[in-house]
Amino acid sequence: MNEWHGNGPSRDQRGYGRGSDGAQPEGARAMPQVRRDAGPGYGRAEPPLPPGAGPRRGSVPPQQSQGYDDYNTGQVYGGGGPGGPQRGGYDTRPRPNWGRRIKWTVLTVVVVFAVASVATYFWADGKLRREVDLSKVIDRPEAGDGTNYLIVGSDSREGMTADDKKKLHTGSAEGKRTDSMMILHDGSNGPTLISLPRDSGVEIPSFVGSESGKKYPATGRRTKLNAAYAEDGAELLVRTVEYNTKLHIDHYVEIGFAGFANIVDAIGGVELDIPKAFKDKDSGSDFQAGKQTLNGSQALAFVRARHAFAQSDLARTKNQQKFLAALASQAASPGTLLNPFQLYPTLGAGLDTVIVDKDMGLWSLGNMFFAMKGVNSGEGTSMNMPMSGIRDGFVMWDTAKLHQLVQQLNNDEKVTVTDSN
């Protein structure tokens, strides 16, 4: 093959690259075509390759139309490469879809909240102490409309240290007795909370022993209501309440001294308006009048105080109703239910010490608290069991008013009976 610099015309002879020797201006000349399959340094024009022939070894690979072949279209060489602007200089990447992002964020939050709520429900439901078997209660009255809870505050010192007993002024008595008893009716006409004085004179009916399973016949024996609990526990107490009131009890809830104080502390105390200052050495009460937040030990002293009042136990039941309604109102508030730093300690403190019947679930317990909250908000009624007087140290119930009250509760009617004489 002939070499370019050997036989070909010189650059001056070709008339381009260094100007022309002629007098006339140089005209436009065609550039020699360099075949792309030529090797490095190959500068001579050659005829095109025959059809089907491949590129020579070491040739320059074919370029995309995006490259230098399009330079006279205004396209910047290499401008369409990754990360650079697209053809025409505009960024054609899709804009963020904020609507979709917000939708998925909200959906994720809802799913996480739902899973956490379900997990919390089953965790809390599993912690309930279902120790009372109402199937052992015999000869029960027919159930009416609505739901009736028997709420019992016991003087159990379970789990308390010597320092706890001293701090809470509970003493060191063995066993446990009822310190307060209430019936809460939850119905369509609002909740009704009825305190049962522990000195109420009642008849102990026939019953089946909770431990022995033996049936004990009725003897017509009359005693104070709290003695029924001391004699054979929660089952006999339910049997005695049902026999003397003719009101069916659907659920049983009991809490001891320590559990009560722990719940109050777990929710950060309970705000209460005390209308008149009082002091009771036996319970450790020493309160000034006005609004104040009671901690666990103060709350327990408040609901146990009775020697500071002329009406003694009757006045105490009113204070117990007032405090429990305020406690339920705060425990069932959004500030507690939606705040995990308050909800979980409150559930942990309460569920470990609350004793319920075997058929009671967390849902029923929650309904009870919301019904108590309704009493505090004015949607319901709170009262003592109507009484006719005190005889031989027994608080005697007004049988005519009791019959009317139970009829209204069974029919889920608005309660019009009062506890005044």
Side-chain angles (χ1 to χ4, degrees):
M1 181 180 291
N2 294 331
E3 296 296 327
W4 177 76
H5 59 276
N7 298 326
S10 68
R11 301 186 75 173
D12 289 342
Q13 289 174 326
R14 287 199 308 266
Y16 65 90
R18 291 187 176 180
S20 175
D21 293 336
Q24 296 298 324
E26 182 180 15
R29 301 190 182 192
M31 297 289 289
Q33 180 179 4
V34 179
R35 204 168 62 214
R36 293 182 180 175
D37 60 334
Y42 191 90
R44 193 175 64 189
E46 292 189 8
L49 289 172
R56 293 182 182 180
R57 185 176 181 180
S59 63
V60 179
Q63 303 296 313
Q64 300 292 333
S65 62
Q66 190 73 16
Y68 59 79
D69 283 350
D70 288 343
Y71 72 91
N72 60 354
T73 66
Q75 176 68 33
V76 178
Y77 179 80
Q86 302 300 313
R87 185 179 293 270
Y90 294 100
D91 187 353
T92 59
R93 290 176 298 179
R95 295 181 179 179
N97 190 332
W98 290 108
R100 177 175 295 180
R101 291 187 181 184
I102 293 173
K103 180 181 71 175
W104 280 106
T105 300
V106 172
L107 182 61
T108 301
V109 171
V110 170
V111 170
V112 170
F113 179 79
V115 171
S117 298
V118 172
T120 298
Y121 179 88
F122 284 103
W123 166 78
D125 188 73
K127 290 177 71 68
L128 283 175
R129 297 174 57 181
R130 298 179 174 91
E131 300 176 7
V132 178
D133 189 357
L134 295 183
S135 67
K136 295 179 180 180
V137 181
I138 62 173
D139 300 332
R140 309 190 67 186
E142 185 178 350
D145 295 330
T147 304
N148 298 317
Y149 302 87
L150 180 60
I151 304 171
V152 175
S154 76
D155 63 0
S156 170
R157 281 86 173 167
E158 180 184 356
M160 295 175 65
T161 65
D163 289 340
D164 292 334
K165 295 174 184 177
K166 182 178 179 180
K167 176 184 176 182
L168 299 177
H169 298 270
T170 63
S172 300
E174 296 298 327
K176 59 181 181 178
R177 288 150 293 277
T178 53
D179 204 58
S180 62
M181 291 163 283
M182 303 178 188
I183 294 175
L184 174 65
H185 174 82
D186 184 21
S188 58
N189 278 289
T192 302
L193 184 62
I194 308 162
S195 286
L196 309 176
R198 65 178 189 173
D199 292 338
S200 297
V202 293
E203 180 180 341
I204 301 296
S206 60
F207 67 96
V208 173
S210 58
E211 297 295 334
S212 65
K214 178 182 176 182
K215 184 172 182 178
Y216 296 88
T219 61
R221 175 168 56 99
R222 294 189 65 84
T223 185
K224 293 182 179 180
L225 182 59
N226 64 343
Y229 182 94
E231 184 173 335
D232 199 47
E235 287 86 357
L236 178 55
L237 177 61
V238 172
R239 167 69 173 138
T240 303
V241 169
E242 288 189 338
Y243 177 81
N244 286 270
T245 63
K246 303 301 185 288
L247 185 68
H248 182 89
I249 300 299
D250 298 289
H251 291 296
Y252 177 90
V253 181
E254 177 188 327
I255 187 168
F257 283 162
F260 179 81
N262 289 341
I263 292 175
V264 174
D265 285 334
I267 63 175
V270 174
E271 185 179 73
L272 203 66
D273 188 3
I274 299 177
K276 185 178 180 180
F278 68 91
K279 187 174 183 178
D280 184 349
K281 181 180 179 181
D282 290 343
S283 68
S285 301
D286 188 2
F287 296 104
Q288 300 299 316
K291 285 187 177 181
Q292 50 205 287
T293 300
L294 277 58
N295 60 27
S297 60
Q298 292 171 327
L300 187 59
F302 179 81
V303 298
R304 295 183 62 223
R306 60 173 178 150
H307 297 294
F309 311 112
Q311 290 185 305
S312 188
D313 198 47
L314 296 179
R316 181 173 70 161
T317 57
K318 290 289 188 181
N319 283 341
Q320 290 171 347
Q321 290 178 349
K322 181 177 181 179
F323 185 86
L324 288 179
L327 171 63
S329 180
Q330 189 162 328
S333 67
T336 299
L337 296 177
L338 300 180
N339 182 357
F341 297 103
Q342 278 201 342
L343 176 62
Y344 288 100
T346 302
L347 288 175
L351 298 178
D352 283 339
T353 54
V354 172
I355 297 173
V356 299
D357 64 89
K358 292 184 179 297
D359 294 327
M360 189 168 192
L362 189 64
W363 183 262
S364 298
L365 187 63
N367 286 338
M368 186 196 79
F369 267 89
F370 277 100
M372 291 281 287
K373 181 179 179 181
V375 173
N376 186 64
S377 64
E379 298 174 3
T381 302
S382 61
M383 58 186 294
N384 278 322
M385 180 63 76
M387 55 178 289
S388 59
I390 298 177
R391 186 168 63 244
D392 299 329
F394 292 162
V395 175
M396 306 305 295
W397 294 349
D398 187 323
T399 54
K401 284 189 174 183
L402 171 61
H403 177 76
Q404 184 182 2
L405 173 63
V406 171
Q407 186 178 35
Q408 290 176 344
L409 295 177
N410 279 334
N411 295 331
D412 204 13
E413 300 171 351
K414 184 175 179 60
V415 172
T416 59
V417 179
T418 65
D419 56 9
S420 58
N421 293 327

